[in-house]
Amino acid sequence: MQRPLPQGIEYLIEQFDAFAGNRKGSRRLPVMLLRRDGGASGPSGATTAAGAGAGSTVRSIIVGYRDRLFEQDLDRTTDLVPHALIEDGDSTPPAPAPAPGEDPGAAAEPHVALLDSIVDQFENSMPHDAGELRLPRFHTCRAVLDISVGAGSAAGKRRRLRDELYLQLLGRRPLLGTLARLAGASGTSFLATIWLSLFQLLVVGLPRRFYGLWLSRRRTARWVGSRRPKGPNFLRMALAITRSGTSRGNHALIQRMLLMALLNDLSRAARPSRLWVYRARRQWPFVLLLPAVGEEGTPVRRLLDTYADIVRTESPAPLMVLGALAGEHPPSYAQAVAADPRSVTGVADKVHALYARSSASAVYLVPLSAGDDDGPADRWLETNPKVSVRANGRSDYVRAVGVPLMALALVAGATAFYVGDGERPPSCHPVSTGEIVGITDGRECHLGVAGRDDELLELESIAAEQNEEAVNSKRPYRTLVFFAPLTAEPGDSTPVSIQSLRGALAAQREVNGREGDIVQIRLLIANSGKYFAYGSQSSSGPDVAQEIIDRKDRDKIAAVIGITQSRPSSFAAVQQLSAASIPVIGNSVTGSKMVDERSPSYYFQVSPSNERISEIMAEFARHSEQIGELTTNVDGGRTAVVVYDPDDAFFSADLGAKFSEKYKGGKVVTVPYYENRNGQIASEVARNVCTEVRNSGGFIVYAGRSGEMPELFDALQGAADCRKSDGKQVAVLSESTAAKYLQDPADMLKKHSVLKPYYVMFNNSNGKETPDSPYSEFTDRFREVFRDRVVPEGNAAGAYDALRVASEVINSVYAQYKTAENTDARFQPTDVYARLSNPGVQNFSGASGLLSLDTRHKYPPNKAVYILESHMDKSVTTWMACGLLPDKPLGLNDPDTWGTAGEAHPCP
């Protein structure tokens, strides 16, 4: 690399190395184009480079990065990551002398030669022990360009094209080629000739025929960039790009076709069969280096334009593209990465965020510092000369052999199960995020991945046991479905829905353990996946709501509970279930849009809406002595710094707007914090939040989702502006709190000592036992199932109440329909909905408050809402309690005020 290097380049290269050594999943790696503008100045301030000098520095970084992708040991080169480096000159390679009988005009055209160079370099730079790189689709499409099919009928041309492509295949598949040569031998007798003819039919004729069917029947039309319907097959369309084809001169189409075929092959090569040892050894992406991306119309720029257009709509490919901008005008589709002048690692942090999360753009411009490095980058490069890749070992073979053996054992077990049980196949589906979505009774299949979703697998086991007891109890039973996002991608925090599922299982145990003629509850677990992505109709994968509907009659489904999130996707799932006449009772759902006038008729919830929650939060923020001690009054009030996601209209933006409207205790300042970061970095958000807190002396209102809280809290702890000079902590008031903080508050408080969290809860989960209190009863029931391992907090209480409300209604319907002759009365989900609508449930004593639900109240009026604070010793203080409280005697269960005797304030 050309010296001097830009300041901070080592942090950027470190991010490139991290993802070049391990692509970390199947998400798309956006193109990174490096750019260095203006003059570079050394430590003394003297100008050392400008214009072309800056460009040559960036070029040298990309060229030099290739040296990090292989090791040189004396005369031996060991490739670490498959890579290719191309420049405009690679589009015009010297034409080789034509072989005897070859068409002298057969030299590769520029747009094709560029891809030939990439493929050649990828194939020749495959790491040792990672196997041969096979690119069947690319080589098939590439071979078409050099084939002349002559004149004749279309069918005849297609047969000649098939035969020529099959000859090419024989050259790439040695076994097929050997068998074909054996079949071509001549016999010494009549009988030998007959046997050889039969042999030729088996090893040449039939394979060629099947190869032709494979080409014409598979959905390969998209290789040639077709936007036509499925009808046209590959052979018919490929005729257009043979030497005399009608589209042979369409260079853009041909380059797109070849590049799509190559990306398809690379995707398959990066994830070979689990039965191959190479799967574990191919953790890297394929790295493409572009040292000079010039102006529009230059060969490399055209290739980049084509790639950017393809990845905009196609599935992500394991290709990592690094380039250097050589022209004055960057591509219009490239999005600039904003540099943070306050941090030398700012650009590198943003690049990491773009690689680690799904990004909005396919191409980003990465600015390099105009200042020259004065030593740190050189020293880092000397001590970190190569990309760190996974070491291959014998355990790879154990894994490759162990997987098929385990699969055979599972198939044998599943076969025995289904032969004996006679039920339909399980409905658990692995999806591209690594999650498993679908429905299970806890035994038929598993929604958790061992080692990652152990909590969910443990809850499935409990559900399986309790369901078996319910079905075999010799009492009538009905099925409820707990439907919510129960898994997340690796590295994400545990979903809050896991705690809700615990509450539902505790309620199932309590209901099924009652004496008398009680309808037993069988509980199915349905996982919609992160963000409720697979909860309803979607082109990207399973439709879990539809699977619930399909099982309604077979499984005697009476209602669905859970949901737990306010999102467009969860709303769509509820609409789908409502259209199928299945009632839904949500818990931990608070978004106003879920219960407004457009809400599906079959939807109810036991949680309050953001309208009420924002009133409680605004009242507490305005009058709380605890927040007052940690804030400074400015202009006669306390400034609220509201952190919210403007794009999350169903929850975060809704809560943030309603709090801002209702808060009368001072100014409101907003700071956006996006759930789907799109390049936003938590440390930058934290700096902005803490700057506002420092300038105003105010407090933080966290209106974001619980899953995004841990990353922001970590960043707030590290932000200098949140460390007050008076030593006081920063007050944080939140509605949706991370599950792990509720389960282990001591760890959270220890790691985030600069913060003082207060949080909203829908039950008084302070651990204090009160005689005849529904919350105390809930705690006891919860402990019967889960002992002392987890805290029975508000999300669990909400699901506990949702199941018990459903059970109450089911038993009312059952009592209406049963007769002396028919104790297993048949009734439908519509009957449950009718009963829940009228007369509904009135003043139901729940763990989360007194609940009334009917056709006029889709969520409980005057719902109990609490503001709590956790301490290091796991004790909890209740600072505010308003609404219909379940743990107070009649007459005191709807308090008019909150606070201390001397400082009482009206309850909203």
Side-chain angles (χ1 to χ4, degrees):
M1 296 183 187
Q2 178 178 312
R3 267 56 173 182
L5 294 166
Q7 284 182 353
I9 189 64
E10 67 272 27
Y11 302 110
L12 192 58
I13 293 176
E14 186 177 24
Q15 296 303 331
F16 294 158
D17 285 356
F19 287 88
N22 188 334
R23 64 181 182 274
K24 297 178 173 62
S26 60
R27 60 170 57 92
R28 179 182 67 203
L29 296 175
V31 178
M32 296 296 171
L33 290 183
L34 307 188
R35 181 177 189 175
R36 195 182 192 195
D37 294 325
S41 58
S44 62
T47 299
T48 61
S56 63
T57 299
V58 179
R59 171 188 166 82
S60 76
I61 291 172
I62 298 299
V63 174
Y65 192 75
R66 177 173 56 178
D67 297 336
R68 303 182 63 79
L69 304 178
F70 64 85
E71 287 183 326
Q72 191 78 36
D73 185 12
L74 298 178
D75 59 343
R76 181 184 178 187
T77 299
T78 303
D79 290 296
L80 304 173
V81 177
H83 58 276
L85 185 147
I86 61 166
E87 303 193 61
D88 288 341
D90 293 318
S91 64
T92 54
E102 184 181 356
D103 182 0
E109 295 147 303
H111 57 284
V112 177
L114 214 56
L115 284 159
D116 284 345
S117 177
I118 293 173
V119 168
D120 184 64
Q121 293 181 64
F122 278 161
E123 290 178 334
N124 290 312
S125 62
M126 282 293 286
H128 179 63
D129 290 338
E132 178 186 354
L133 177 61
R134 295 183 180 273
L135 305 172
R137 290 155 187 78
F138 175 84
H139 287 302
T140 299
C141 296
R142 177 65 180 86
V144 171
L145 302 179
D146 295 335
I147 292 175
S148 178
V149 294
S153 67
K157 289 180 181 180
R158 288 198 296 272
R159 282 195 296 271
R160 288 194 290 275
L161 177 59
R162 178 204 65 187
D163 293 345
E164 289 293 332
L165 289 176
Y166 187 70
L167 286 176
Q168 297 273 353
L169 179 67
L170 295 180
R172 299 196 303 270
R173 296 290 188 270
L175 178 60
L176 283 176
T178 301
L179 291 174
R181 286 191 295 273
L182 289 173
S186 58
T188 57
S189 66
F190 176 74
L191 188 59
T193 302
I194 292 178
W195 279 112
L196 283 172
S197 298
L198 290 173
F199 183 65
Q200 186 176 39
L201 175 65
L202 289 173
V203 303
V204 177
L206 287 178
R208 182 170 56 199
R209 176 65 176 166
F210 285 132
Y211 181 64
L213 291 173
W214 181 83
L215 288 176
S216 57
R217 295 289 183 264
R218 286 175 65 89
R219 297 178 184 177
T220 52
R222 72 191 195 96
W223 289 358
V224 293
S226 171
R227 295 294 187 266
R228 303 178 194 172
K230 297 177 183 178
N233 62 50
F234 175 71
L235 288 175
R236 184 177 294 118
M237 300 188 69
L239 285 175
I241 58 172
T242 56
R243 286 188 183 178
S244 57
T246 56
S247 299
R248 190 65 177 83
N250 191 337
H251 296 169
L253 172 67
I254 290 173
Q255 187 175 70
R256 180 185 178 89
M257 172 267 291
L258 290 174
L259 187 52
M260 289 181 74
L262 176 60
L263 295 176
N264 193 310
D265 282 332
L266 294 180
S267 295
R268 293 172 178 270
R271 294 182 64 83
S273 167
R274 295 182 185 276
L275 305 182
W276 286 87
V277 67
Y278 301 136
R279 185 180 180 93
R281 296 180 175 182
R282 295 183 180 182
Q283 300 296 318
W284 27 251
F286 296 85
V287 178
L288 178 60
L289 303 174
L290 312 176
V293 178
E295 298 291 348
E296 186 175 356
T298 56
V300 171
R301 174 68 173 271
R302 283 178 177 170
L303 180 69
L304 180 62
D305 293 345
T306 303
Y307 176 72
D309 182 55
I310 290 172
V311 300
R312 183 172 55 85
T313 56
E314 299 297 322
S315 301
L319 184 65
M320 181 179 184
V321 183
L322 303 177
L325 190 66
E328 291 293 327
H329 305 96
S332 59
Y333 49 79
Q335 183 173 324
V337 174
D340 184 355
R342 297 174 293 179
S343 171
V344 71
T345 65
V347 172
D349 290 342
K350 284 213 167 186
V351 167
H352 175 86
L354 292 169
Y355 276 152
R357 290 177 174 267
S358 298
S359 53
S361 177
V363 181
Y364 286 88
L365 291 175
V366 181
L368 302 183
S369 171
D372 290 339
D373 172 61
D374 55 358
D378 278 326
R379 288 191 293 272
W380 186 88
L381 289 171
E382 289 173 3
T383 56
N384 300 272
K386 305 298 173 189
V387 169
S388 177
V389 295
R390 175 188 179 278
N392 299 330
R394 295 180 179 177
S395 61
D396 300 339
Y397 293 95
V398 175
R399 185 181 293 108
V401 174
V403 168
L405 290 177
M406 289 178 62
L408 288 173
L410 289 173
V411 168
T415 302
F417 175 79
Y418 289 117
V419 168
D421 193 274
E423 293 192 3
R424 298 180 186 179
S427 53
C428 297
H429 316 283
V431 292
S432 59
T433 59
E435 302 169 88
I436 301 176
V437 301
I439 314 172
T440 182
D441 63 356
R443 195 181 302 279
E444 64 185 55
C445 61
H446 295 293
L447 298 168
V449 177
R452 193 180 81 187
D453 304 311
D454 291 341
E455 289 179 270
L456 177 55
L457 292 172
E458 182 181 354
L459 298 183
E460 286 181 1
S461 177
I462 294 172
E465 180 182 342
Q466 295 186 172
N467 286 338
E468 186 174 4
E469 292 174 356
V471 172
N472 296 328
S473 66
K474 298 183 179 180
R475 292 196 280 180
Y477 76 88
R478 286 296 181 271
T479 298
L480 296 178
V481 183
F482 181 86
F483 184 23
L486 292 165
T487 54
E489 295 182 38
D492 291 342
S493 60
T494 302
V496 171
S497 303
I498 288 289
Q499 187 69 349
S500 293
L501 177 55
R502 288 194 179 101
L505 289 168
Q508 182 192 21
R509 171 75 64 87
E510 189 272 328
V511 167
N512 290 352
R514 295 176 188 169
E515 298 293 334
D517 195 10
I518 301 296
V519 178
Q520 299 287 283
I521 297 298
R522 175 174 175 256
L523 187 66
L524 294 180
I525 302 173
N527 179 27
S528 64
K530 184 179 179 181
Y531 301 149
F532 235 95
Y534 302 97
S536 61
Q537 297 171 350
S538 169
S539 60
S540 61
D543 178 352
V544 180
Q546 186 59 49
E547 292 185 6
I548 294 172
I549 295 167
D550 293 342
R551 295 176 63 151
K552 177 176 67 172
D553 295 331
R554 173 167 64 99
D555 288 292
K556 299 182 180 180
I557 292 174
V560 171
I561 63 172
I563 307 301
T564 73
Q565 291 188 354
S566 307
R567 293 185 182 276
S569 50
S570 62
F571 187 81
V574 170
Q575 283 182 312
Q576 197 170 339
L577 294 167
S578 181
S581 302
I582 300 177
V584 180
I585 305 176
N587 70 276
S588 302
V589 181
T590 60
S592 304
K593 292 178 181 291
M594 299 294 288
V595 290
D596 65 12
E597 64 278 0
R598 296 168 298 171
S599 175
S601 59
Y602 275 64
Y603 178 70
F604 303 82
Q605 66 184 44
V606 297
S607 45
S609 75
N610 280 341
E611 181 74 25
R612 173 154 179 76
I613 294 169
S614 60
E615 289 179 340
I616 298 291
M617 293 177 70
E619 181 71 13
F620 181 77
R622 179 182 183 183
H623 296 294
S624 161
E625 296 177 14
Q626 292 71 39
I627 288 183
E629 291 173 356
L630 300 175
T631 55
T632 303
N633 278 7
V634 175
D635 298 330
R638 310 167 180 176
T639 299
V641 180
V642 179
V643 181
Y644 78 114
D645 181 354
D647 292 344
D648 187 1
F650 266 68
F651 173 69
S652 183
D654 176 49
L655 179 62
K658 283 182 165 51
F659 176 87
S660 300
E661 173 192 344
K662 299 180 186 304
Y663 181 59
K664 308 302 180 185
K667 293 195 325 182
V668 174
V669 179
T670 58
V671 178
Y673 178 49
Y674 296 94
E675 182 179 39
N676 185 3
R677 302 284 191 276
N678 273 342
Q680 188 185 46
I681 300 172
S683 58
E684 286 189 0
V685 177
R687 277 196 293 268
N688 295 336
V689 170
C690 293
T691 298
E692 296 291 350
V693 170
R694 181 196 60 189
N695 292 341
S696 66
F699 62 98
I700 300 170
V701 174
Y702 181 75
R705 292 190 180 268
S706 60
E708 311 307 315
M709 177 183 277
E711 188 175 357
L712 181 63
F713 270 32
D714 290 344
L716 290 171
Q717 177 66 24
D721 284 343
C722 274
R723 299 180 182 277
K724 298 181 180 179
S725 57
D726 58 7
K728 291 184 178 180
Q729 295 168 297
V730 177
V732 183
L733 177 59
S734 63
E735 189 272 330
S736 183
T737 305
K740 67 178 184 179
Y741 291 168
L742 297 174
Q743 294 303 309
D744 191 359
D747 183 66
M748 181 267 288
L749 294 171
K750 188 185 304 180
K751 289 180 178 177
H752 308 106
S753 57
V754 303
L755 305 178
K756 187 75 167 178
Y758 304 91
Y759 56 91
V760 170
M761 195 53 64
F762 304 141
N763 76 327
N764 198 13
S765 50
N766 55 18
K768 298 176 182 177
E769 297 287 337
T770 305
D772 300 323
S773 162
Y775 171 68
S776 297
E777 180 186 344
F778 157 66
T779 302
D780 292 339
R781 300 294 186 185
F782 191 90
R783 294 295 185 208
E784 288 176 7
V785 182
F786 300 105
R787 311 303 177 194
D788 295 325
R789 291 171 293 173
V790 288
V791 177
E793 42 78 70
N795 295 294
Y800 181 85
D801 285 349
L803 188 142
R804 290 171 67 238
V805 165
S807 172
E808 185 87 1
V809 176
I810 288 170
N811 277 291
S812 296
V813 174
Y814 172 70
Q816 177 183 349
Y817 278 85
K818 75 171 181 176
T819 64
E821 296 78 19
N822 181 18
T823 56
D824 186 14
R826 302 290 295 180
F827 56 89
Q828 297 297 319
T830 50
D831 299 312
V832 176
Y833 164 72
R835 189 75 180 185
L836 187 54
S837 298
N838 185 24
V841 293
Q842 304 300 325
N843 294 320
F844 180 86
S845 184
S848 62
L850 292 176
L851 309 175
S852 294
L853 297 174
D854 52 38
T855 191
R856 295 178 301 109
H857 300 112
K858 291 303 186 79
Y859 59 96
N862 199 20
K863 175 72 171 65
V865 180
Y866 302 82
I867 303 286
L868 308 178
E869 179 192 359
S870 296
H871 305 287
M872 291 289 290
D873 60 0
K874 291 193 175 184
S875 63
V876 177
T877 300
T878 303
W879 292 115
M880 183 176 182
C882 288
L884 292 170
L885 310 180
D887 52 350
K888 299 293 183 183
L890 192 63
L892 300 177
N893 62 344
D894 188 7
D896 295 326
T897 62
W898 68 278
T900 60
E903 289 289 337
H905 307 282
C907 270

